[in-house]
Amino acid sequence: MNLDHAELLETPASLDRNDPDGEISRRGKAYRNWGRWGEDDALGTLNFIDAAKRKQAASLVRDGEVVSLSQPFDMNGPQKGWRRRTNPVHTMLDTGTDAERGTQGFPHGLGGADDVISMPLQCSTQWDGLGHIFDHGNAWNGRRAGDVVTSDGDLVTGIEHAAASPVSRGVLLDLGRHLQPDTGELPDGYAITTEDLESCIAAQGATSAVGRGDIVLVRTGQLSRARRDGWGDYAGGPAPGLSLTTAGWLHRTEIAAIATDTWGFEVRPNEFDVPAFQPLHQVVIPNMGLTVGELWDLDALAHTCHARGRYGFLLVAAPLPITGAVGSPINPVAIL
């Protein structure tokens, strides 16, 4: 595909709002990374993170301050049961009451507490694995979806393969503050464009420059609004997010991963006048091999970055090595 045509795909005005199939197909083919890291690859764009990148990221630690970027994992979360996604259910198996009453059966006065949690892997702060989304029956790297994910789980690109990968330079792009300085919150349905991303980088300065191997965090401010006004339709409803037309930027910058403070990463409703569902997912996960994070809490980080005037940091965001899983809960931390 020639450069002029590739650039045209990043122009919002060029989007045919009545042809989601065609718009998805054009971008899927234009930004496809199949075979780039070999036939057996299970990491996709996480391959952009190498030892040199991690050393660079570590050098960004100046104050030793650690900021958690995770929402809580509890029954007060945003999930409403869509496709059986529920909030975590935490149950105690042994308690202090049991210990006081001596019913646990331990010798010489020993007592203890134990617990269990039941939850979908994508109910709170999480990574989408490469087996999470398919494009016309194709999984990442051109494999057939049914050969990759079966009732036994993701047999090829399970999240366990990425257990040591997402440690890199993180960069915060605070689009909420940049585009809506009075509120710090983008309105629901706002489609973030390539121009928005680049103008935010320019406004924030050199420390927010984005390049190969970086993990980009996009704050829209929607989580701030949900905290103030209640969850409402935060899980699956209208939201600000990335436009389908940013697929070229996501590919060209060679970032390793991207995460947002919203349920679905991309703008909702999606940018078509006919039914469409998560078209940017369909382009970037199975075709580009991009790891996507959702439901991240970026508010405290945004405050810290703004106060310090620097937006790059060491980011540690390892998934749980759940064999065969197509996603994982995480507690990502930024170290500044």
Side-chain angles (χ1 to χ4, degrees), residues 122-174:
Q122 297 178 336
C123 66
S124 189
T125 306
Q126 52 93 20
W127 284 124
D128 284 345
L130 295 184
H132 178 51
I133 296 292
F134 311 120
D135 181 13
H136 290 84
N138 292 312
W140 160 240
N141 226 19
R143 306 176 179 103
R144 297 304 301 167
D147 294 334
V148 175
V149 182
T150 73
S151 58
D152 291 323
D154 186 336
L155 307 177
V156 180
T157 53
I159 201 73
E160 72 273 15
H161 295 288
S165 294
V167 178
S168 189
R169 175 180 179 262
V171 56
L172 175 71
L173 300 185
D174 191 350

